[in-house]
Amino acid sequence: MGDFFKKVHRIVAMIPPGAVMTYGQIAAIVGNPRASRAVGYALRAVPDGGELPWHRVVNSKGEISTRRTMQGDDDRFLQRVLLESEGVLFMESGRIDLRKYQVHF
DNA sequence: ACCATGACTGCAA
DNA sequence: ATTGCAGCCATGG
């Protein structure tokens, strides 16, 4: 695993419950504002059942995005449940209000 | 070193 | 609101 992944994981680990960060935001924090896509790639490598709060990362529109596989749907459902269990409220559009839940380091 | 692969993003129709 | 698409980038083969 590359250094970039480790940095990303380190940042994600700091997101407090009930809050979220975007892929692009994390990319900027670790040094490359344009590596948002690679951030998603890094999260894909996160083991399930770990302590890393991967569910607290959403896209720039406040939507949940996951891998495009069979598991994708399950992941999305799980992510939403986990966020809601932390108090994050989803709008009718299926998005969350970033102005309310996004944390800025 | 080269190439394909996406849990991204912003912009244009 | 949707769709399409061209940039962008760290990995892995």
Side-chain angles (χ1 to χ4, degrees):
Chain A
M1 201 180 305
D3 208 43
F4 181 81
F5 279 16
K6 293 181 182 176
K7 290 181 183 174
V8 171
H9 292 173
R10 204 168 61 238
I11 298 301
V12 174
M14 305 173 82
I15 310 176
V20 303
M21 292 214 294
T22 68
Y23 297 91
Q25 179 188 4
I26 294 173
I29 292 177
V30 302
N32 195 333
R34 310 191 173 174
S36 58
R37 208 166 180 178
V39 170
Y41 201 73
L43 283 193
R44 192 188 59 174
V46 172
D48 286 350
E51 57 260 32
L52 218 84
W54 55 271
H55 60 282
R56 306 210 259 252
V57 182
V58 299
N59 66 30
S60 64
K61 294 178 254 178
E63 303 172 318
I64 287 178
S65 50
T66 73
R67 50 184 131 178
R68 305 185 301 227
T69 63
M70 292 275 283
Q71 279 181 74
D73 293 323
D74 295 330
D75 290 344
R76 264 190 285 247
F77 179 77
L78 175 61
Q79 181 166 2
R80 173 159 178 161
V81 171
L82 289 174
L83 285 175
E84 290 179 326
S85 71
E86 297 181 347
V88 175
L89 204 55
F90 280 76
M91 300 182 285
E92 189 177 1
S93 60
R95 306 190 198 179
I96 66 179
D97 190 344
L98 287 179
R99 294 176 305 178
K100 188 173 181 182
Y101 303 107
Q102 182 175 19
V103 286
H104 305 277
F105 290 165

